[in-house]
Amino acid sequence: MPTIKERLQEDWKTSLKAKDKFKTKVLGSAKAAILQVEKNEQKPADDSTVIEILAKEVKQRREAVLEFEKGNRQDLVDEANAEIEILLNYLPQQLSEQEILQIVKESAQDAGATNMKDMGKVMALVRPRTVGKADGKLVSGIVKDYLSNI
């Protein structure tokens, strides 16, 4: 089975041949982000690293969508959402809020969390299980809600 990076490369080539400029641009920027990390770390990126990089790319676009909405720029909102849709194809299946809550409950028990002061401990256990599979703000919000209601 090809790695995520290999799939990205093949899909980029296919979009280039199909003259799909938009998809080529999105995949090209994702490839550039991966290449930059590889240069900085002086080693090839494995799938878990690629997932983190792509999750970061999706997060940046989601934040941009919020700014574009504030500025009433529906054209840019639509473009950023289309980019997110393309990038999500390379990330693991996104977790539902119920699945995240279950992970939070298990992590809180493992950490012995009793109140909001334990949020750092819980997040340290939750993050590795949700990276690339859920938006960080959503996870953080669920952890806060859970810990404030124990």
Side-chain angles (χ1 to χ4, degrees), residues 37 41 43-54:
V37 169
E41 295 182 3
K43 64 179 181 170
D46 59 3
D47 270 358
S48 65
T49 305
V50 171
I51 288 171
E52 282 187 45
I53 295 165
L54 295 178

Side-chain angles (χ1 to χ4, degrees), residues 6 10 16 26 28 33 43 47 65 76 108 110 118 138-139 146:
E6 290 167 345
E10 286 306 309
L16 204 57
V26 174
K43 64 179 181 170
D47 270 358
V65 165
L76 296 176
D110 293 347
D118 297 321
L138 175 63
V139 172
Y146 181 75

